[in-house]
Amino acid sequence: MNFASDNWAGAAPAVMSALTRHSSGFAPGYGADPLTASVSRSFNDIFEREVAVFFVATGTAANALALTTFGKPGGAVFCHRYSHINIDECNCPEFMTSGNKLVGIPGGGCKISPDDLRAAMSRFPDGVVMHGQAASVSISQATESGTVYSVGEIEAIAEAARSRSLPLHMDGARFTNALVTLGCTPAEMTWKAGVDVLSFGGTKNGCWCAEAVVFFDPEQAKEFEYFRKRAGHLFSKSRFVAAQFDGFFENDSWLGTARHANAMALRLAEGIRSLGARTAWAVEANELFPIVRRTQFETLTKAGANIYEWPANDLSDNVAPAEDEVCFRMVTSFATTDEHVKTFLETLAGTV
């Protein structure tokens, strides 16, 4: 019952097969190899335009370096107050941007609205040195609550950002999970909706260690190579990151692994609700946040379920946990099986 995180899962077979396939022989280092060039062209095909792609080791690096590209002196980066960049990255975005301030915006399900974004940006008027400079906007897709922005919602946020000439960054640690939920194309969920730069996550969806920063206007990426090198994220053997993405994209493996993870999350949610419990937010990707009695939670953990208690923020009174209840996080992956789901639900059923 390993539902702690999709980071706990191993690497998908297609990824490991590609790593083995490309492991022998010699190739130029630092991204000058033919495989890195080939995978970069794959990104062009996937996003239906020429993009600038840069490999990094972690999602934190992808986010921080993407935002660094658009940093300003006294800069303000607008994001959800519970976003990963604001809560879980040890102030790395602030550090890498030389002190740009993350401005947290409230919103249910970890989603910001265009109106709330405009209100936050208004506190940093252009040309007023006392307040600093609006620098960029960042959203997570899927969000930290497991919810997904619709294409229309992304477009509306992008429009609000453009009203101040700000670039829009998307933290796509679980990009593919959101993509298969919406059933749209990668282009429709990103640059066609107004996204300027994407942190494209592979690690949570079956890669071993593969993240990419994707600029939809290569002109905006001119300085990025220097930021990446200075941060220590220029791989000498870049082909091994490229190899992971090669297997990831082969035969649409990346879409299949995400669909499986999402389906397992929905099956868990349906089973949990059928047993009289509830979920804090809509289950729209591969994360869910059940709310059960604390005694049930303790029974589940004692039985071997790897799950984490989670803060139930921004919930209405009729959904928020009561005094004797607990909200916890579950994350499914390509490696989650029917048996894992069945065992969890049977254990929970024994507590009803």
Side-chain angles (χ1 to χ4, degrees):
M1 293 188 288
N2 285 302
F3 299 110
S5 173
D6 36 13
N7 288 323
W8 284 37
V15 170
M16 292 308 298
S17 176
L19 275 166
T20 301
R21 185 166 67 247
H22 295 293
S23 64
S24 61
F26 295 85
Y30 301 105
D33 59 282
L35 182 58
T36 295
S38 173
V39 169
S40 295
R41 290 192 294 272
S42 294
F43 275 92
N44 292 343
D45 294 339
I46 286 166
F47 288 103
E48 304 173 40
R49 67 179 296 164
E50 182 184 355
V51 298
V53 182
F54 302 90
F55 301 150
V56 295
T58 68
T60 294
N63 291 335
L65 288 170
L67 295 171
T68 296
T69 306
F70 300 106
K72 295 179 179 180
V77 177
F78 302 94
C79 58
H80 194 277
R81 61 180 173 180
Y82 298 127
S83 63
H84 203 271
I85 62 172
N86 200 32
I87 300 295
D88 299 296
E89 296 187 348
C90 196
N91 298 330
C92 185
E94 290 95 329
F95 174 73
M96 296 300 297
T97 57
S98 298
N100 277 207
K101 178 185 181 69
L102 298 188
V103 180
I105 301 171
C110 277
K111 294 163 74 172
I112 62 175
S113 73
D115 288 344
D116 287 340
L117 173 59
R118 286 191 175 91
M121 293 189 300
S122 70
R123 300 198 297 272
F124 294 80
D126 291 332
V128 181
V129 70
M130 299 295 185
H131 301 303
Q133 302 184 83
S136 59
V137 178
S138 179
I139 60 173
S140 301
Q141 182 77 326
T143 74
E144 288 70 28
S145 292
T147 56
V148 170
Y149 285 97
S150 69
V151 171
E153 288 173 322
I154 297 170
E155 289 173 339
I157 291 169
E159 183 181 355
R162 282 196 299 271
S163 72
R164 293 290 299 277
S165 300
L166 300 187
L168 177 58
H169 164 254
M170 177 180 283
D171 175 356
R174 295 185 174 92
F175 177 87
T176 318
N177 300 95
L179 182 71
V180 298
T181 291
L182 293 182
C184 61
T185 68
E188 289 168 341
M189 202 172 78
T190 54
W191 65 269
K192 288 186 177 181
V195 175
D196 294 284
V197 60
L198 166 69
S199 298
F200 182 93
T203 305
K204 289 178 174 17
N205 192 31
C207 286
W208 167 67
C209 175
E211 307 288 313
V213 180
V214 182
F215 290 88
F216 297 107
D217 177 1
E219 284 295 308
Q220 293 182 323
K222 284 185 174 179
E223 302 296 320
F224 189 85
E225 287 184 293
Y226 295 95
F227 292 131
R228 180 176 62 166
K229 175 61 176 175
R230 190 174 63 174
H233 277 269
L234 175 60
F235 288 92
S236 57
K237 293 187 178 180
S238 175
R239 62 174 163 144
F240 288 103
V241 182
Q244 293 175 71
F245 280 127
D246 188 47
F248 192 64
F249 295 139
E250 187 177 29
N251 299 319
D252 287 338
S253 172
W254 63 303
L255 302 175
T257 49
R259 287 192 185 102
H260 175 82
N262 287 10
M264 293 293 101
L266 283 174
R267 190 173 301 177
L268 276 167
E270 291 165 0
I272 288 167
R273 290 166 186 156
S274 73
L275 294 170
R278 64 192 185 279
T279 54
W281 299 283
V283 181
E284 296 176 342
N286 66 319
E287 292 181 282
L288 60 155
F289 298 84
I291 297 173
V292 299
R293 298 192 308 275
R294 182 164 291 279
T295 54
Q296 291 176 299
F297 177 77
E298 291 169 352
T299 298
L300 288 164
T301 56
K302 286 177 184 176
N306 289 311
I307 49 181
Y308 286 122
E309 189 168 346
W310 202 257
N313 297 313
D314 294 331
L315 292 177
S316 60
D317 290 341
N318 63 322
V319 178
E323 245 183 70
D324 63 340
E325 292 181 321
V326 59
C327 177
F328 64 96
R329 187 182 82 158
M330 302 181 72
V331 190
T332 54
S333 72
F334 76 92
T336 303
T337 66
D338 291 335
E339 190 62 30
H340 296 154
V341 174
K342 179 184 175 186
T343 302
F344 181 88
L345 294 176
E346 286 177 348
T347 305
L348 180 61
T351 69
V352 175

